[in-house]
Amino acid sequence: MDLRTMDWTFLTEAARDPRTTGAVAPSGRALARALTEPVRTLAPRPLTVLEAGAGTGAVTRALIHRLSPGSRLDVVEANPRFADRLCRLVDTHPRLAGEPERVRVHRSYVEDLPGAGRYDVIVAGLPLTNFTPDRADAIMARLLELLHPGGTLTYFAYLGTGQARTLLSSRAEARRHHAVQEVMDGYQRRYATGRWSVWANLPPARVWQLRSPLRDAQDMRDEPYAVVGAGR
């Protein structure tokens, strides 16, 4: 699929449903590299990887490029038009020639992902700050539940969105955004191991890296907080 066509698809869907698409352009290469860094770090051992909210596949391409032999990638995308693009990407990607089963596209919300599989790495491109606080909390809890103990979750948020919403949105929308940010702050305090600013993206973004606790998932909310790499 021609990149220009895919970008047009992204823009069309962003205009159709900005709350669930969450961006005006696909992730740039620098952001895709930062989000997929754990896959590169953990190679060459075989990995189980999940991408939640893949859009038109900007990060999916980076993940496929970094998959080590024997690794498996599950891609979750609820938007049917995006999912169609992703299926075509998998069917035609040269690195998957002869073994397309290494990458599976699920037309689903991540909360409804069937099975109880566990993943070494999860990359989330979901517009979490566009959701209600309860849904953002449910999604984050589900993502951590899907990780192997000690597994890594990366996700991003655009820089400056809080200030922009405060200035340009209604009071109700600003309160909703603030409440979601409090939810995200709680997960970052408990599980964050790193954060990086990606200025070479439009708009600039911050990538967060969280780690699932080594003990059982039911104890996750009691984990201590530590952040390394802050300020990069």
Side-chain angles (χ1 to χ4, degrees):
M1 177 58 61
D2 183 82
L3 181 59
R4 290 170 297 177
T5 303
M6 296 186 73
D7 285 348
W8 179 251
T9 301
F10 196 100
L11 291 170
T12 300
E13 293 305 308
R16 187 197 306 269
D17 192 351
R19 173 148 294 199
T20 56
T21 302
V24 297
S27 300
R29 291 182 181 179
L31 179 54
R33 283 196 301 270
L35 288 167
T36 61
E37 180 63 16
V39 176
R40 186 196 67 81
T41 302
L42 293 172
R45 71 179 178 90
L47 301 171
T48 52
V49 184
L50 171 68
E51 183 185 7
T56 53
V59 176
T60 312
R61 287 178 175 79
L63 284 169
I64 292 173
H65 180 74
R66 288 186 160 182
L67 282 181
S68 54
S71 294
R72 175 174 58 85
L73 170 62
D74 285 337
V75 180
V76 178
E77 177 53 58
N79 182 299
R81 287 159 292 275
F82 287 168
D84 286 344
R85 302 296 189 198
L86 292 164
C87 287
R88 293 176 187 173
L89 169 63
V90 172
D91 289 342
T92 60
H93 200 288
R95 290 183 66 91
L96 301 176
E99 49 180 359
E101 68 281 354
R102 293 181 65 199
V103 180
R104 298 180 296 179
V105 177
H106 301 265
R107 301 169 186 261
S108 169
Y109 292 102
V110 69
E111 306 99 298
D112 302 327
L113 187 65
R118 291 290 187 101
Y119 297 91
D120 299 301
V121 178
I122 296 178
V123 178
L126 299 164
L128 292 165
T129 56
N130 285 10
F131 299 147
T132 64
D134 287 345
R135 189 178 178 203
D137 190 20
I139 290 172
M140 290 296 292
R142 177 59 173 157
L143 292 174
L144 287 168
E145 180 184 40
L146 286 168
L147 282 172
H148 284 298
T152 300
L153 164 66
T154 60
Y155 68 92
F156 74 95
Y158 293 124
L159 292 171
T161 55
Q163 296 90 327
R165 288 179 192 265
T166 299
L167 293 172
L168 302 175
S169 301
S170 67
R171 290 184 179 179
E173 173 64 10
R175 285 195 298 269
R176 183 202 60 77
H177 185 271
H178 179 73
V180 173
Q181 190 57 58
E182 287 187 333
V183 170
M184 302 306 296
D185 287 347
Y187 281 97
Q188 292 157 8
R189 285 193 296 272
R190 292 180 180 95
Y191 310 121
T193 57
R195 65 185 180 201
W196 297 268
S197 297
V198 181
W199 299 105
N201 192 71
L202 184 64
R206 173 162 292 155
V207 172
W208 286 91
Q209 180 174 294
L210 276 58
R211 180 162 296 160
S212 174
L214 292 175
R215 62 175 182 257
D216 192 85
Q218 67 182 359
D219 297 325
M220 287 193 304
R221 295 182 182 277
D222 299 324
E223 282 292 313
Y225 162 64
V227 172
V228 298
R232 290 199 222 175

